[in-house]
């Protein structure tokens, strides 16, 4: 037990499985050549825990597309630092405190930690821990979804940067993904006409029936994006929430209305290629004639707005106005499969690893 | 004489030369196959002038790169309407009132008119005429430069959209051009470090010695733009005033600092190609990681700020803080040569046609 508790010292050593990066994957989807699981012994002795640290048993890990960019071995435009080789992978996660050397945390506390190792156990500094109140009626995985990385990213893109008006024509790519599903619903709640693109007919159905999109198309079957956008946006596009980049962005630029805004959250279609091999966008001149604003963002720069976001989202959740879908991969051994799912159109909703 | 005057009716017919578009030029620089000069007879009879119109003798025409996009025969991203075939070309110009049927204008008034025909004479509605006060000490061609399209475009890009701070690292492409020369000087007046790219060693010298750029390079000799920007921007780029688009924009995106702004005034390197043949920008993912804002603009949307601009610019001109260079083509027959000069790196400064 830690300093928060007191009592006799226990010495317990457990087996701890953790994912680490064995080799960088410059292109393509990372495989078991790059990501490996290993077992290390882990001491739960309070002696082994520094002051202002806690020992965590990890419960959930948020799997987000940006993680892939930290495994490429080169700066690729997201600028998240590369994971060092042979060290454990870190991600936004949730765990239970099992030992504490910080009086603010006691055994059993549920906490969120932005730099959680993808492991069963870890000792982490208490500085960035955020306690979760399990009595407010929000299921634990939801903290990684609507109140986590994707929900906040969707809110920043729509509320802060896109600023659609009632009746605006809004397009969301990766519409059934972790971010897209929230972005589309937030735009609908603002009274917009919302169209999505996604990677399967099932997901088209999902975003229309579950997430309330006005319409959607499957980019694997409607491959002429220009024609698709002509069909779905007879009055042009006012806000494009870009999750994919590349050819879809180029097609959008042929359909933007004057003063359109394009918040860019990510470019998932482009992550698995080095930049010189990425799809070039040839019609940026449309930015001038249509006076378009394109703005990339990282949620870390908007943390001062997190309170506004959480309040708004909590209201929507309580009123049942936001639906969501999590794809939970069970067991730490599923990490690789979960990562791969985000880059193969097979995933729907927010991907979470339950440990 | 018109209604503003009174007196006996004079009937005078003069020969009037005017430029018209004989054929669209989808690619390349327009030639005498596309632009032709013809002579038509022009009646100076007051009877031939409708009420609320004036007859103008044209003095100067502002030649700006956007004109080329109105001669391509297709929407190309600037969205200025195409000139109709066999009709006269129109541009921002200045003339002298020679007959008036509007009491606000009298013979001899010098006026600016945004839709001046490239002709020796014209009858135009008085609605959009703006009188110029020749007693304030501004030379007439300056109204088309520092107080015209390029000066205002430079001010909107720097002051309204780019918003550099003292010490910001600012990059200006087409640095010796009509817009670039003002943009660079406005940034210098804000205390920035300003680097330009331009198309000849003479122009490199000019922008450093006349316009006060900290440094500049010739993009015809330093053809590895990435290497050039590494050299000139060891601390990265905070604001890029984009006049050229294409490969230079791509190179810039490899050197942007976090939170960089890219006001896009034009993409002159791309105008003479159809959009599918233009240079694709492959590294837009940098917009996300570096949280960059790219914003295209047309000055027509900022006319509510024209007063602020004119006041600021007048102050700089009076204090001798802004230099400029006009390239004046003499004689209406030089129109084609003036247009071509903007697309061949041979031009320096604001291009004006003196009629």
């Amino acid at each position: 037990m830690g300093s928060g508790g007191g009592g006799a010292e226990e010495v317990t050593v457990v087996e701890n499985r953790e994912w680490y990066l064995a080799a960088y994957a410059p292109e393509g989807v990372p495989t078991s050549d790059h990501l490996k699981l290993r077992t290390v012994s882990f001491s739960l002795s309070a002696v082994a825990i520094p002051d202002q640290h806690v020992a965590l048993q990890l419960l959930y890990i948020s799997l987000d597309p940006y993680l892939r960019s930290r495994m490429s071995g080169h700066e690729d435009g997201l600028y998240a630092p590369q994971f060092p080789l042979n060290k454990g992978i870190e991600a936004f996660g949730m765990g239970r405190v099992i030992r504490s050397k910080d009086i603010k945390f006691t055994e059993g506390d549920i906490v969120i930690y932005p730099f959680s190792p993808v492991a069963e156990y870890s000792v982490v500094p208490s500085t960035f821990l955020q306690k979760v109140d399990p009595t407010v009626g929000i299921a634990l995985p939801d903290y990684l979804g609507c109140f986590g990385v994707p929900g906040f990213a969707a809110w920043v893109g729509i509320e802060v940067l896109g600023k659609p008006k009632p009746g605006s024509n809004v397009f969301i790519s990766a519409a059934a993904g972790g971010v897209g599903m929230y972005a589309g619903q937030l735009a609908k709640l603002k009274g917009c006409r919302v169209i999505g693109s996604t990677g399967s007919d099932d997901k088209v159905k999902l975003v229309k029936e579950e997430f309330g999109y006005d319409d959607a198309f499957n980019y694997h079957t409607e491959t002429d994006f220009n024609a698709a956008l002509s069909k779905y946006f007879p009055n042009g596009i006012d806000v494009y929430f870009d999750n994919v980049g590349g050819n879809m962005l180029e097609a959008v630029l042929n359909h933007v209305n004057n003063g359109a805004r394009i918040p860019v959250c990510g470019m998932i279609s482009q992550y698995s290629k080095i930049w010189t091999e990425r799809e070039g966008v040839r019609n940026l001149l449309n930015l001038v004639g249509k006076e378009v604003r394109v703005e990339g963002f990282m949620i870390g720069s908007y943390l001062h707005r997190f309170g506004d976001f959480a309040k708004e989202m909590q209201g929507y959740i309580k009123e049942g106005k936001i639906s969501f879908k999590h794809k939970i991969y069970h067991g730490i051994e599923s990490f690789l499969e979960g990562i791969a799912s985000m880059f193969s159109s097979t995933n729907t909703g927010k991907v979470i690893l339950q440990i």
Side-chain angles (χ1 to χ4, degrees), chain A:
Chain A
M1 271 182 273
S3 59
E9 174 65 29
E10 298 167 36
V11 178
T12 317
V13 173
V14 295
E15 295 216 317
N16 182 23
R17 288 182 296 169
E18 68 171 15
W19 284 90
Y20 70 101
L21 192 65
Y24 289 115
E27 295 182 69
V29 178
T31 67
S32 56
D33 289 342
H34 312 104
L35 289 165
K36 293 183 190 292
L37 187 64
R38 66 185 165 199
T39 302
V40 292
S41 62
F42 182 80
S43 169
L44 288 175
S45 161
V47 177
I49 302 172
D51 284 344
Q52 308 305 313
H53 282 62
V54 304
L56 288 183
Q57 181 179 23
L58 281 309
L59 302 174
Y60 296 100
I61 298 288
S62 176
L63 301 191
D64 299 288
Y66 79 90
L67 288 173
R68 195 264 166 267
S69 71
R70 305 189 60 182
M71 304 171 182
S72 64
H74 52 82
E75 268 204 353
D76 81 334
L78 282 179
Y79 298 104
Q82 292 301 303
F83 290 123
L85 289 183
N86 299 315
K87 299 264 182 178
I89 300 290
E90 292 177 347
F92 194 87
M94 175 183 279
R96 179 187 291 114
V97 175
I98 51 173
R99 297 284 188 282
S100 174
K101 283 226 182 140
D102 181 327
I103 54 165
K104 294 194 297 295
F105 298 94
T106 53
E107 283 179 39
D109 280 352
I110 305 293
V111 293
I112 283 172
Y113 183 60
F115 315 106
S116 300
V118 183
E120 292 168 302
Y121 300 95
S122 185
V123 170
V124 306
S126 53
T127 324
F128 298 106
L129 288 182
Q130 199 189 319
K131 222 183 282 189
V132 160
D133 180 356
T135 67
V136 297
I138 294 170
L140 293 186
D142 297 350
Y143 282 97
L144 305 186
C146 32
F147 297 105
V149 171
F152 189 41
W155 186 85
V156 169
I158 293 293
E159 180 77 25
V160 183
L161 302 177
K163 293 179 188 155
K165 297 185 180 70
S168 288
N169 293 288
V170 176
F171 180 49
I172 317 272
S173 54
V179 177
M181 64 178 175
Y182 295 114
Q185 292 180 86
L186 288 170
K188 280 305 297 175
L189 285 165
K190 296 195 172 299
C192 305
R193 181 171 167 276
V194 180
I195 308 289
S197 66
T198 184
S200 76
D201 292 343
D202 283 348
K203 288 196 269 188
V204 166
K205 194 165 178 285
L206 176 83
V207 302
K208 289 162 69 173
E209 297 181 358
E210 289 279 318
F211 303 144
Y213 280 64
D214 293 281
D215 214 333
F217 65 95
N218 175 351
Y219 68 87
H220 284 307
T221 53
E222 296 200 46
T223 53
D224 181 343
F225 300 160
N226 257 312
L229 295 175
S230 292
K231 183 167 89 183
Y232 293 103
F233 287 100
N235 300 315
I237 296 171
D238 301 304
V239 172
Y240 170 45
F241 190 108
D242 190 5
N243 287 309
V244 305
N247 293 343
M248 189 66 87
L249 174 57
E250 185 177 86
V252 165
L253 289 175
N254 289 331
H255 295 270
V256 282
N257 288 331
N258 201 69
R261 286 168 184 258
I262 304 182
V264 189
C265 179
M267 295 190 168
I268 198 169
S269 74
Q270 309 295 301
Y271 291 170
S272 297
K273 302 168 194 161
I274 57 170
W275 78 265
T276 48
E277 300 301 319
R278 289 180 181 155
E279 291 160 3
V281 174
R282 295 164 293 177
N283 57 353
L284 290 169
L285 187 53
N286 291 304
L287 300 181
V288 182
K290 293 293 176 77
E291 306 186 270
V292 176
R293 179 188 289 182
V294 182
E295 190 159 4
F297 67 99
M298 304 279 276
I299 56 174
S301 299
Y302 296 87
L303 293 178
H304 59 289
R305 300 295 306 275
F306 193 88
D308 300 334
F309 153 71
K311 198 175 156 187
E312 185 176 330
M313 186 60 93
Q314 229 151 15
Y316 292 145
I317 298 283
K318 273 184 192 155
E319 296 163 25
K321 286 184 175 165
I322 291 258
S323 301
F324 47 83
K325 209 172 164 74
H326 299 156
K327 168 66 186 172
I328 298 187
Y329 284 84
H330 296 278
I332 191 166
E333 59 280 4
S334 313
F335 173 66
L336 185 55
E337 192 189 347
I339 287 284
S341 76
M342 294 188 289
F343 296 91
S344 59
S345 289
T346 60
N347 164 56
T348 305
K350 169 76 191 118
V351 183
I352 293 172
L353 180 69
Q354 179 169 32
I355 295 184

